[in-house]
Structure formats: C-alpha cells, structure tokens
C-alpha cells in the first residue's frame, strides 16, 4: 500500500470503532456523492490540489483539476461550480502563482464558475497537497451504483499503470511519453453517455485494477476472477514486481464499467470501433482473486519501479 493511502480495511475498522455510518450516496466504490432534496439534485466531489517540484506549473494545474474531475465525471454529468482552498507551499515563489493562474484558466476553459475560495499558508512542504477543490453540479447522475443489475458484465477500459509510469518518467527524465490529458477519463465517459446499457463507471487510481475491483466487490457483493493473461496486454509497460503489484499500479485515466447483459454485444462493438483498449473482467466467487489467489492491492512506488518502454 502506498504511503498516505488509507486502506479499505483501515477505513472500515475506524468507522466501526466510532459507530460511524456512511451516507447512502457516500459508498466505497462510488467516486462521487449525490443528493436530491425537495426536487433539487446535486453531485459533489472534493479532492486535494497537488503540487510537485518536478512538474511545471501548468502540469501541476492540469493534474489538480483532472483528479477531482475524473471522479465527478463518473456520474455522467459535468460540474458547474468549484470551491477552492489554496495553501501556498514554503519556499515556492512565482511558479506557485503561475500554477494558480493556470488552474483558473483551466476552469474558465471548461465553463466552471469559482464560487468561493480560501487562502492560507500552513507551512506545508514543497510538494504534495497544497489545498483542495470541491466540484458541484446540479444534475441527476446518469451513471450510478444504484443502476447496477445482477447480470451486469464488468469491463476495464484503458491501460493499467498509466499514472505510475507518468510520475516515474517525470521524476527520472523530466518528461513523459504520457500527457496529463491521458490521465483524464473524459475521453471515455463523454462518448459512453450515448451508449445504451452503461449503468455504472468507476475511476481507477491508487491501487489500480485490484483496488478498483475490491471497492466494486464491497459495493455490490459480487466477486471478480482476474486472470493475469487476460489483462497483461493492458499493462502500461510495467515489468517490476509481482503480478499483483503490476495490476495494482496507479491507473488514473482508466475506468471500470458495468453494462447490462443484453447490451454486451453492442457495447463491445462500440468500444472496438473507438479503438479503446478493453477487456471483460469475469464475475464469480467472492472478493477479488488473481489467477485463483485472493488479491490485495500493493501500489508500486514509481521511483523504484522498473519500466519497459517496448511493452
């Protein structure tokens, strides 16, 4: 487990200790929260803003918006409003304000209005979290775990380990073969709005495919039987570590999708025509297994991970 990422078991243990109950829409496996109060629908998501010294101001801004947008877009809707908490890191000068300026420009380009904000200096380190972004939309979700049906098929769309590879290359070489835009799920979600039978979408990030499936398993009670041979072609040039470590690599920009049983053929035809990498994940048993063994995610540290650019 990558440092800083709270495990599912840790979260469950903490909630049980305090007798906490998660809000109905705030479920593990659902990337966004939603509510409907007196006829007013709302989708909302809050995520940290990121800032890394080995990335440019523009690159940091793109990731700071891409990560909350990935989760929000799995609702099949688009945010109208953003709330921002900006925390200036120590020993960062003009480049921080270039970062903020780039972030505002990205909001403008997407038509998202900034409703409120807060600024401060909390003596945080040069990299990592430098604030938070809350995205809010006023439409009813198109995709939701509430729409999942018993006979739904589940698919992985995209590559495993894109995010891990991006950070590895940026740290080691100062550039990456993967763009920040590639780490966005927008390229998949928006076209899927036109596809009949798509019920639910889940963004893959830390913990990759294994963590994503474990969250869906907790959400639905379904089990998943992953075969390494069935997903190997979707690995983003990963050759370090065990099979479960590779399949657990951070995979922002990729998604899990549930599709109605009757729409499987038309869905596969659509994805194939689009040229998207994909595979169906077999459903069965309990929990998540990889090659028949119980799988627990082990996110790889990008700075020690080996990569093979020819795969």
């Amino acid at each position: 487990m990558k440092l800083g990422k709270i495990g599912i078991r840790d979260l469950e243990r903490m909630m049980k200790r305090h007798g906490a109950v998660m809000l109905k829409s705030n479920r593990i496996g659902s990337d966004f929260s939603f509510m409907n109060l007196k006829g007013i629908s709302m989708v909302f998501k809050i995520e940290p803003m990121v800032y890394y010294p080995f990335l440019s101001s523009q690159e940091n801004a793109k990731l700071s918006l891409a990560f909350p947008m990935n989760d929000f877009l799995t609702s099949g809707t688009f945010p109208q409003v953003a709330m921002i908490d900006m925390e200036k890191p120590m020993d960062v000068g003009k480049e921080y304000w270039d970062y903020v300026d780039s972030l505002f420009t990205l909001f403008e380009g997407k038509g998202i209005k900034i409703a409120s904000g807060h600024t401060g200096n909390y003596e945080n380190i040069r990299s990592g979290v430098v604030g938070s972004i809350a995205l809010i939309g006023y439409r009813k979700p198109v995709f939701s775990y509430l729409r999942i049906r018993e006979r739904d098929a589940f698919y992985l769309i995209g590559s495993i380990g894109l995010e891990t590879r991006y950070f590895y290359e940026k740290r080691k070489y100062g550039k990456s073969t993967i763009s920040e835009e590639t780490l966005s799920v927008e390229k998949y979600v928006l076209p899927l709005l036109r596809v009949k039978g798509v019920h639910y979408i889940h963004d893959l990030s830390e913990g990759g495919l294994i963590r994503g499936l474990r969250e869906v398993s907790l959400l639905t009670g379904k089990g998943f039987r992953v075969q390494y041979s069935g997903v190997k072609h979707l690995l983003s040039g990963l050759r370090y570590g065990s099979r479960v470590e590779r399949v657990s690599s951070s995979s922002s920009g990729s998604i899990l999708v549930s599709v109605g049983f009757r729409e499987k053929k038309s869905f596969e035809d659509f994805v194939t025509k689009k040229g998207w990498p994909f595979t169906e994940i077999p459903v069965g048993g309990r929990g998540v297994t990889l090659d028949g063994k119980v799988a627990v995610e082990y996110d790889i540290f990008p700075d020690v991970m080996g990569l093979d650019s020819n795969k």
Side-chain angles (χ1 to χ4, degrees), residues 157-168:
I157 298 179
S159 300
I160 300 170
L162 279 176
E163 184 181 353
T164 298
R165 187 184 186 110
Y166 171 85
F167 278 107
Y168 172 84

Side-chain angles (χ1 to χ4, degrees), residues 84-115:
I84 305 177
D85 172 29
M86 295 176 287
E87 303 171 15
K88 184 177 180 297
M90 295 186 298
D91 303 323
V92 176
K94 181 180 179 297
E95 61 268 30
Y96 174 77
W97 300 112
D98 291 339
Y99 160 73
V100 174
D101 183 63
S102 298
L103 193 57
F104 274 59
T105 300
L106 290 171
F107 279 120
E108 292 170 4
K110 292 185 177 295
I112 301 173
K113 304 298 183 182
I114 299 176

Side-chain angles (χ1 to χ4, degrees), residues 210-228:
I210 297 300
R211 172 152 184 137
L213 289 173
R214 289 187 66 219
E215 291 175 346
V216 177
S217 180
L218 288 171
L219 184 69
T220 64
K222 298 179 181 294
F224 296 94
R225 298 175 296 179
V226 182
Q227 293 295 318
Y228 185 76

Side-chain angles (χ1 to χ4, degrees), residues 1-5 160-169 171 205-211 228 235-251 290 296-308:
M1 179 63 64
K2 190 174 182 180
L3 290 178
K5 181 70 173 181
I160 300 170
L162 279 176
E163 184 181 353
T164 298
R165 187 184 186 110
Y166 171 85
F167 278 107
Y168 172 84
E169 292 179 344
R171 283 172 170 163
S205 53
E206 297 98 332
L209 176 62
I210 297 300
R211 172 152 184 137
Y228 185 76
L235 294 175
S236 181
L238 306 176
R239 61 177 177 83
Y240 175 86
S242 66
R243 290 183 173 186
V244 70
E245 287 175 325
R246 298 180 193 183
V247 180
S248 297
S249 295
S250 295
S251 304
L290 177 63
V296 178
E297 73 275 8
Y298 296 94
D299 200 21
I300 299 176
F301 283 92
D303 55 342
V304 299
M305 193 191 75
L307 290 166
D308 185 347

